[in-house]
Short mmCIF file of all heavy atoms in Angstrom, two decimals:
data_model
loop_
_atom_site.label_atom_id
_atom_site.label_comp_id
_atom_site.label_asym_id
_atom_site.label_seq_id
_atom_site.Cartn_x
_atom_site.Cartn_y
_atom_site.Cartn_z
N GLN I 1 7.30 5.74 8.28
CA GLN I 1 7.08 4.31 8.19
C GLN I 1 5.68 3.96 8.74
O GLN I 1 5.31 4.24 9.85
CB GLN I 1 8.13 3.57 9.04
CG GLN I 1 8.18 2.10 8.77
CD GLN I 1 9.37 1.47 9.50
OE1 GLN I 1 9.37 1.42 10.70
NE2 GLN I 1 10.34 0.95 8.77
N GLN I 2 4.85 3.39 7.85
CA GLN I 2 3.51 2.93 8.22
C GLN I 2 3.27 1.63 7.53
O GLN I 2 3.96 1.22 6.68
CB GLN I 2 2.50 3.99 7.82
CG GLN I 2 2.64 5.35 8.50
CD GLN I 2 1.50 6.25 8.17
OE1 GLN I 2 0.35 5.88 8.06
NE2 GLN I 2 1.79 7.53 8.01
N THR I 3 2.19 0.95 7.99
CA THR I 3 1.80 -0.29 7.35
C THR I 3 0.44 -0.16 6.77
O THR I 3 -0.36 0.64 7.21
CB THR I 3 1.84 -1.44 8.33
OG1 THR I 3 0.95 -1.22 9.39
CG2 THR I 3 3.25 -1.65 8.87
N ALA I 4 0.17 -0.99 5.77
CA ALA I 4 -1.14 -1.08 5.19
C ALA I 4 -1.51 -2.58 5.07
O ALA I 4 -0.69 -3.36 4.62
CB ALA I 4 -1.21 -0.49 3.78
N ILE I 5 -2.65 -2.92 5.57
CA ILE I 5 -3.05 -4.34 5.62
C ILE I 5 -4.33 -4.46 4.79
O ILE I 5 -5.25 -3.67 4.97
CB ILE I 5 -3.29 -4.81 7.07
CG1 ILE I 5 -2.04 -4.59 7.91
CG2 ILE I 5 -3.72 -6.26 7.10
CD1 ILE I 5 -2.21 -4.92 9.35
N ASP I 6 -4.34 -5.45 3.86
CA ASP I 6 -5.52 -5.61 3.02
C ASP I 6 -6.62 -6.34 3.80
O ASP I 6 -6.53 -6.65 4.98
CB ASP I 6 -5.12 -6.32 1.72
CG ASP I 6 -4.72 -7.76 1.93
OD1 ASP I 6 -4.90 -8.33 3.10
OD2 ASP I 6 -4.23 -8.34 0.99
N ASP I 7 -7.71 -6.61 3.06
CA ASP I 7 -8.91 -7.14 3.70
C ASP I 7 -8.72 -8.57 4.29
O ASP I 7 -9.46 -8.97 5.13
CB ASP I 7 -10.04 -7.15 2.71
CG ASP I 7 -9.76 -7.93 1.49
OD1 ASP I 7 -8.75 -7.60 0.81
OD2 ASP I 7 -10.48 -8.89 1.15
N SER I 8 -7.70 -9.29 3.81
CA SER I 8 -7.42 -10.59 4.34
C SER I 8 -6.60 -10.54 5.61
O SER I 8 -6.41 -11.57 6.29
CB SER I 8 -6.69 -11.45 3.33
OG SER I 8 -5.37 -10.94 3.13
N ALA I 9 -6.11 -9.33 5.96
CA ALA I 9 -5.27 -9.13 7.18
C ALA I 9 -4.02 -9.99 7.14
O ALA I 9 -3.46 -10.33 8.16
CB ALA I 9 -6.06 -9.43 8.45
N VAL I 10 -3.59 -10.34 5.93
CA VAL I 10 -2.39 -11.15 5.78
C VAL I 10 -1.27 -10.35 5.12
O VAL I 10 -0.11 -10.35 5.57
CB VAL I 10 -2.68 -12.42 4.99
CG1 VAL I 10 -1.40 -13.18 4.69
CG2 VAL I 10 -3.67 -13.31 5.73
N HIS I 11 -1.62 -9.66 4.06
CA HIS I 11 -0.61 -8.98 3.28
C HIS I 11 -0.23 -7.64 3.93
O HIS I 11 -1.05 -6.80 4.23
CB HIS I 11 -1.17 -8.71 1.88
CG HIS I 11 -0.23 -7.90 0.99
ND1 HIS I 11 0.97 -8.37 0.66
CD2 HIS I 11 -0.36 -6.70 0.41
CE1 HIS I 11 1.57 -7.47 -0.15
NE2 HIS I 11 0.78 -6.46 -0.30
N MET I 12 1.08 -7.50 4.20
CA MET I 12 1.52 -6.26 4.82
C MET I 12 2.63 -5.65 3.97
O MET I 12 3.52 -6.32 3.53
CB MET I 12 2.07 -6.56 6.22
CG MET I 12 2.55 -5.30 6.98
SD MET I 12 3.09 -5.65 8.66
CE MET I 12 1.50 -5.97 9.45
N VAL I 13 2.56 -4.36 3.78
CA VAL I 13 3.55 -3.64 3.03
C VAL I 13 4.12 -2.51 3.93
O VAL I 13 3.36 -1.71 4.45
CB VAL I 13 2.97 -3.03 1.75
CG1 VAL I 13 4.02 -2.29 0.96
CG2 VAL I 13 2.35 -4.12 0.87
N TRP I 14 5.42 -2.46 4.08
CA TRP I 14 6.07 -1.38 4.80
C TRP I 14 6.34 -0.22 3.87
O TRP I 14 6.82 -0.43 2.80
CB TRP I 14 7.36 -1.85 5.42
CG TRP I 14 7.18 -2.68 6.66
CD1 TRP I 14 7.15 -4.00 6.75
CD2 TRP I 14 6.93 -2.17 7.96
NE1 TRP I 14 6.94 -4.40 8.04
CE2 TRP I 14 6.79 -3.29 8.82
CE3 TRP I 14 6.81 -0.91 8.56
CZ2 TRP I 14 6.53 -3.20 10.19
CZ3 TRP I 14 6.58 -0.80 9.89
CH2 TRP I 14 6.41 -1.96 10.71
N LEU I 15 6.02 0.94 4.30
CA LEU I 15 6.21 2.12 3.51
C LEU I 15 7.33 2.93 4.13
O LEU I 15 7.26 3.37 5.29
CB LEU I 15 4.91 2.96 3.46
CG LEU I 15 3.70 2.22 3.02
CD1 LEU I 15 2.47 3.10 3.15
CD2 LEU I 15 3.88 1.82 1.57
N ILE I 16 8.40 3.07 3.38
CA ILE I 16 9.53 3.79 3.90
C ILE I 16 9.79 5.07 3.07
O ILE I 16 10.11 4.95 1.88
CB ILE I 16 10.82 2.89 3.89
CG1 ILE I 16 10.53 1.65 4.76
CG2 ILE I 16 12.06 3.66 4.41
CD1 ILE I 16 11.65 0.65 4.72
N LYS I 17 9.66 6.21 3.70
CA LYS I 17 9.92 7.47 3.02
C LYS I 17 9.16 7.51 1.69
O LYS I 17 9.77 7.71 0.63
CB LYS I 17 11.41 7.73 2.83
CG LYS I 17 12.10 7.95 4.16
CD LYS I 17 13.52 8.41 3.91
CE LYS I 17 14.30 8.57 5.23
NZ LYS I 17 13.65 9.52 6.16
N LEU I 18 7.88 7.33 1.76
CA LEU I 18 6.99 7.32 0.60
C LEU I 18 7.07 8.70 -0.05
O LEU I 18 6.96 9.72 0.62
CB LEU I 18 5.58 6.98 0.97
CG LEU I 18 4.58 6.69 -0.13
CD1 LEU I 18 4.91 5.35 -0.78
CD2 LEU I 18 3.19 6.68 0.44
N ASP I 19 7.17 8.74 -1.41
CA ASP I 19 7.18 10.03 -2.07
C ASP I 19 5.87 10.19 -2.88
O ASP I 19 5.03 9.30 -2.95
CB ASP I 19 8.43 10.24 -2.93
CG ASP I 19 8.54 9.19 -4.04
OD1 ASP I 19 7.48 8.78 -4.58
OD2 ASP I 19 9.69 8.82 -4.33
N PHE I 20 5.74 11.30 -3.60
CA PHE I 20 4.55 11.64 -4.25
C PHE I 20 4.27 10.73 -5.46
O PHE I 20 3.16 10.57 -5.91
CB PHE I 20 4.58 13.07 -4.78
CG PHE I 20 4.51 14.11 -3.69
CD1 PHE I 20 5.63 14.62 -3.14
CD2 PHE I 20 3.27 14.45 -3.15
CE1 PHE I 20 5.57 15.59 -2.11
CE2 PHE I 20 3.19 15.41 -2.14
CZ PHE I 20 4.37 15.95 -1.60
N ASP I 21 5.35 10.06 -5.98
CA ASP I 21 5.16 9.28 -7.18
C ASP I 21 4.85 7.78 -6.91
O ASP I 21 4.69 7.05 -7.84
CB ASP I 21 6.44 9.33 -8.01
CG ASP I 21 6.69 10.73 -8.55
OD1 ASP I 21 5.74 11.30 -9.06
OD2 ASP I 21 7.80 11.25 -8.42
N ASP I 22 4.80 7.39 -5.68
CA ASP I 22 4.41 6.01 -5.39
C ASP I 22 2.95 5.83 -5.64
O ASP I 22 2.13 6.62 -5.19
CB ASP I 22 4.72 5.66 -3.92
CG ASP I 22 6.19 5.48 -3.70
OD1 ASP I 22 6.82 4.82 -4.54
OD2 ASP I 22 6.72 6.05 -2.74
N PRO I 23 2.57 4.77 -6.38
CA PRO I 23 1.15 4.61 -6.74
C PRO I 23 0.30 4.08 -5.59
O PRO I 23 0.82 3.54 -4.60
CB PRO I 23 1.21 3.57 -7.86
CG PRO I 23 2.43 2.80 -7.55
CD PRO I 23 3.42 3.73 -6.98
N VAL I 24 -0.98 4.25 -5.69
CA VAL I 24 -1.92 3.74 -4.75
C VAL I 24 -2.73 2.63 -5.43
O VAL I 24 -3.17 2.77 -6.56
CB VAL I 24 -2.91 4.81 -4.28
CG1 VAL I 24 -3.92 4.26 -3.31
CG2 VAL I 24 -2.15 5.99 -3.68
N TYR I 25 -2.92 1.51 -4.75
CA TYR I 25 -3.73 0.43 -5.31
C TYR I 25 -5.08 0.48 -4.64
O TYR I 25 -5.17 0.60 -3.45
CB TYR I 25 -3.09 -0.91 -5.08
CG TYR I 25 -1.83 -1.12 -5.88
CD1 TYR I 25 -0.60 -0.75 -5.33
CD2 TYR I 25 -1.88 -1.60 -7.19
CE1 TYR I 25 0.55 -0.89 -6.12
CE2 TYR I 25 -0.76 -1.76 -7.94
CZ TYR I 25 0.42 -1.37 -7.40
OH TYR I 25 1.57 -1.52 -8.18
N LEU I 26 -6.16 0.26 -5.38
CA LEU I 26 -7.45 0.21 -4.84
C LEU I 26 -7.99 -1.18 -4.95
O LEU I 26 -8.17 -1.75 -6.01
CB LEU I 26 -8.39 1.13 -5.63
CG LEU I 26 -9.81 1.31 -5.10
CD1 LEU I 26 -9.77 1.93 -3.72
CD2 LEU I 26 -10.63 2.17 -6.07
N ASN I 27 -8.24 -1.80 -3.77
CA ASN I 27 -8.87 -3.13 -3.76
C ASN I 27 -10.31 -2.98 -3.96
O ASN I 27 -11.10 -2.54 -3.14
CB ASN I 27 -8.61 -3.77 -2.37
CG ASN I 27 -9.13 -5.17 -2.29
OD1 ASN I 27 -10.11 -5.55 -2.95
ND2 ASN I 27 -8.44 -5.98 -1.49
N THR I 28 -10.78 -3.25 -5.22
CA THR I 28 -12.12 -2.93 -5.63
C THR I 28 -13.13 -3.77 -4.92
O THR I 28 -14.33 -3.47 -4.92
CB THR I 28 -12.28 -3.03 -7.15
OG1 THR I 28 -11.88 -4.37 -7.58
CG2 THR I 28 -11.45 -2.05 -7.86
N SER I 29 -12.73 -4.92 -4.38
CA SER I 29 -13.70 -5.79 -3.68
C SER I 29 -14.16 -5.19 -2.35
O SER I 29 -15.29 -5.43 -1.91
CB SER I 29 -13.13 -7.20 -3.47
OG SER I 29 -12.01 -7.09 -2.58
N THR I 30 -13.29 -4.43 -1.72
CA THR I 30 -13.66 -3.88 -0.43
C THR I 30 -13.47 -2.33 -0.39
O THR I 30 -13.77 -1.68 0.58
CB THR I 30 -12.80 -4.44 0.68
OG1 THR I 30 -11.41 -4.19 0.38
CG2 THR I 30 -12.98 -5.98 0.79
N TRP I 31 -12.97 -1.77 -1.51
CA TRP I 31 -12.69 -0.33 -1.58
C TRP I 31 -11.72 0.10 -0.50
O TRP I 31 -11.78 1.22 0.02
CB TRP I 31 -14.01 0.45 -1.51
CG TRP I 31 -14.93 0.13 -2.57
CD1 TRP I 31 -16.05 -0.62 -2.48
CD2 TRP I 31 -14.85 0.48 -3.96
NE1 TRP I 31 -16.66 -0.78 -3.68
CE2 TRP I 31 -15.95 -0.14 -4.60
CE3 TRP I 31 -13.91 1.16 -4.70
CZ2 TRP I 31 -16.12 0.01 -5.98
CZ3 TRP I 31 -14.13 1.32 -6.08
CH2 TRP I 31 -15.24 0.72 -6.68
N ASN I 32 -10.84 -0.78 -0.15
CA ASN I 32 -9.73 -0.40 0.77
C ASN I 32 -8.50 0.03 0.00
O ASN I 32 -8.16 -0.57 -1.02
CB ASN I 32 -9.32 -1.60 1.66
CG ASN I 32 -10.45 -1.96 2.64
OD1 ASN I 32 -11.17 -1.08 3.10
ND2 ASN I 32 -10.55 -3.23 2.94
N LEU I 33 -7.81 1.06 0.48
CA LEU I 33 -6.59 1.50 -0.16
C LEU I 33 -5.41 0.61 0.33
O LEU I 33 -5.26 0.47 1.55
CB LEU I 33 -6.34 2.94 0.14
CG LEU I 33 -7.23 3.96 -0.53
CD1 LEU I 33 -6.94 5.36 -0.03
CD2 LEU I 33 -7.08 3.90 -2.03
N VAL I 34 -4.63 0.15 -0.59
CA VAL I 34 -3.44 -0.61 -0.24
C VAL I 34 -2.25 0.04 -0.90
O VAL I 34 -2.21 0.18 -2.16
CB VAL I 34 -3.59 -2.09 -0.73
CG1 VAL I 34 -2.30 -2.84 -0.40
CG2 VAL I 34 -4.78 -2.77 -0.12
N TRP I 35 -1.27 0.42 -0.13
CA TRP I 35 -0.09 1.10 -0.65
C TRP I 35 0.99 0.06 -0.90
O TRP I 35 1.16 -0.86 -0.09
CB TRP I 35 0.45 2.14 0.33
CG TRP I 35 -0.46 3.29 0.51
CD1 TRP I 35 -1.57 3.37 1.30
CD2 TRP I 35 -0.32 4.59 -0.09
NE1 TRP I 35 -2.13 4.62 1.20
CE2 TRP I 35 -1.41 5.36 0.36
CE3 TRP I 35 0.58 5.13 -1.00
CZ2 TRP I 35 -1.57 6.69 -0.04
CZ3 TRP I 35 0.41 6.43 -1.37
CH2 TRP I 35 -0.66 7.21 -0.88
N GLN I 36 1.75 0.17 -1.96
CA GLN I 36 2.85 -0.69 -2.23
C GLN I 36 4.03 0.06 -2.78
O GLN I 36 3.88 0.84 -3.73
CB GLN I 36 2.44 -1.79 -3.22
CG GLN I 36 3.56 -2.77 -3.55
CD GLN I 36 3.04 -3.90 -4.47
OE1 GLN I 36 1.88 -4.25 -4.39
NE2 GLN I 36 3.94 -4.41 -5.23
N ARG I 37 5.23 -0.16 -2.24
CA ARG I 37 6.45 0.48 -2.71
C ARG I 37 6.87 -0.24 -3.98
O ARG I 37 6.94 -1.44 -4.04
CB ARG I 37 7.55 0.39 -1.65
CG ARG I 37 8.85 1.04 -2.03
CD ARG I 37 8.73 2.52 -2.02
NE ARG I 37 10.00 3.16 -2.29
CZ ARG I 37 10.16 4.47 -2.38
NH1 ARG I 37 9.13 5.27 -2.24
NH2 ARG I 37 11.35 4.97 -2.65
N ARG I 38 7.20 0.49 -5.01
CA ARG I 38 7.62 -0.09 -6.30
C ARG I 38 9.10 -0.05 -6.46
O ARG I 38 9.80 0.72 -5.77
CB ARG I 38 6.96 0.67 -7.47
CG ARG I 38 5.43 0.76 -7.37
CD ARG I 38 4.76 -0.62 -7.32
NE ARG I 38 4.82 -1.29 -8.55
CZ ARG I 38 3.93 -1.20 -9.53
NH1 ARG I 38 2.94 -0.31 -9.43
NH2 ARG I 38 4.07 -1.89 -10.69
N TYR I 39 9.66 -0.90 -7.29
CA TYR I 39 11.08 -0.96 -7.47
C TYR I 39 11.38 -1.52 -8.87
O TYR I 39 10.50 -2.10 -9.53
CB TYR I 39 11.77 -1.82 -6.41
CG TYR I 39 11.14 -3.20 -6.24
CD1 TYR I 39 11.57 -4.29 -6.94
CD2 TYR I 39 10.04 -3.40 -5.36
CE1 TYR I 39 11.01 -5.54 -6.80
CE2 TYR I 39 9.45 -4.60 -5.23
CZ TYR I 39 9.94 -5.68 -5.93
OH TYR I 39 9.35 -6.92 -5.79
#
């Protein structure tokens, strides 16, 4: 379990038992990696 916070420091996504198939999002405005669990 980890968190990822975007450049606005507002959006938070909890990562629970992330596997290899979960995608990575790239915030192109700041080149920060933001992880999001899909469903």
Side-chain angles (χ1 to χ4, degrees):
Q1 193 174 66
Q2 297 185 38
T3 60
I5 303 176
D6 66 11
D7 58 301
S8 67
V10 173
H11 177 60
M12 181 176 288
V13 179
W14 283 97
L15 305 174
I16 301 174
K17 293 189 183 301
L18 191 72
D19 61 35
F20 290 96
D21 294 312
D22 286 314
V24 179
Y25 290 92
L26 184 63
N27 184 329
T28 55
S29 63
T30 60
W31 302 104
N32 290 327
L33 288 176
V34 179
W35 293 81
Q36 180 176 331
R37 182 73 176 176
R38 306 302 289 273
Y39 51 92

